[in-house]
Amino acid sequence: MEKIKIDPNAFGYPMPVVLVGSVVDAKPNFLAAAWVSRVNYKPPLIAVALGKHYTNGGIRENKSFSINIPSVDQIKETDYCGIVSGKQKDKSGVFEVFYGELKHVPLINACPVVMECRLVREVELGFDTLFIGEIVNVYSEERFMTGGSPDIRKTRPFVLNMSDNTYWTLGTQAGKAWSDGK
Ligand SMILES: Cc1cc2nc3c(=O)[nH]c(=O)nc-3n(C[C@H](O)[C@H](O)[C@H](O)COP(=O)(O)O)c2cc1C
């Protein structure tokens, strides 16, 4: 089959959807982010690429941020936080929050899995900045776990398809990692 070149911004691979949180102007603020990934094993690091957003000010000021993994039940609120800026509208009432070990890291009560992160590095990429954080603590609830780990059948995360800007749930298990290739 002949390959055709397509728009690099529509590469059509599903991406995780998270809410990045920080305290800005003494209030919790969250944005939606899809350009996020674990990037180091020990210490456990996570990186998120952000444009010039209101949330960034809080990340820089407090040298910390949260990564909250929403379930399909929070699609509307997540999308809202991805459309509206805290610069124009106060988003502090969108979610009920709690605080863990780090004083200025707002964590979302309703999200099945949330992480508090300490900022360890910022990398300027041109348009975006890569914020790299060390995961200090991860919180979940018994009802979202199986055998001591978050169970995606219970946490029900969703992914973003950027080729047509749609959200998708996950399907059925397709294999077993570090096993099927043996
Ligand atoms: C599904 C979705 C994913 C997004 N992913 C990112 C991302 O990875 N990086 C980014 O800089 N902005 C991303 N955005 C845009 C920001 O969430 C949006 O500009 C937000 O309003 C910024 O909020 P703030 O100004 O309160 O910080 C995304 C938006 C949506 C709807």
Side-chain angles (χ1 to χ4, degrees):
M1 277 294 182
E2 194 193 337
K3 299 287 184 194
I4 51 167
K5 280 187 188 165
I6 63 168
D7 177 1
N9 273 315
F11 59 86
Y13 195 78
M15 284 175 274
V17 180
V18 303
L19 287 147
V20 179
S22 73
V23 172
V24 198
D25 297 331
K27 284 186 197 148
N29 191 74
F30 297 95
L31 62 69
W35 294 0
V36 60
S37 181
R38 264 296 295 268
V39 290
N40 195 57
Y41 179 44
K42 278 183 187 173
L45 301 182
I46 193 159
V48 58
L50 298 180
K52 293 180 180 23
H53 297 306
Y54 184 66
T55 308
N56 303 16
I59 298 177
R60 290 195 173 107
E61 190 182 332
N62 303 303
K63 306 231 168 319
S64 54
F65 60 92
S66 67
I67 299 283
N68 304 266
I69 303 173
S71 82
V72 290
D73 296 332
Q74 289 106 39
I75 285 185
K76 269 195 186 153
E77 293 86 347
T78 304
D79 198 53
Y80 175 79
C81 288
I83 298 168
V84 172
S85 172
K87 213 179 208 171
Q88 271 89 43
K89 266 229 156 98
D90 180 0
K91 291 190 269 184
S92 65
V94 176
F95 295 107
E96 188 184 303
V97 303
F98 71 99
Y99 291 85
E101 207 176 303
L102 304 179
K103 286 243 171 324
H104 302 288
V105 177
L107 299 156
I108 299 173
N109 239 333
C111 290
V113 178
V114 299
M115 308 166 207
E116 47 180 347
C117 307
R118 186 177 292 121
L119 180 67
V120 295
R121 199 177 300 172
E122 264 184 60
V123 183
E124 285 304 329
L125 300 174
F127 190 88
D128 287 327
T129 305
L130 193 67
F131 291 92
I132 304 173
E134 179 174 352
I135 302 168
V136 176
N137 285 301
V138 183
Y139 302 91
S140 188
E141 294 170 44
E142 207 55 64
R143 65 189 168 115
F144 298 123
M145 322 258 285
T146 299
S149 301
D151 182 336
I152 59 168
R153 282 165 301 200
K154 298 175 181 174
T155 58
R156 300 181 302 135
F158 58 97
V159 293
L160 168 71
N161 178 20
M162 258 184 83
S163 55
D164 61 0
N165 290 345
T166 47
Y167 296 121
W168 295 77
T169 54
L170 301 178
T172 50
Q173 184 181 331
K176 186 100 181 90
W178 287 282
S179 177
D180 287 352
K182 281 180 191 167

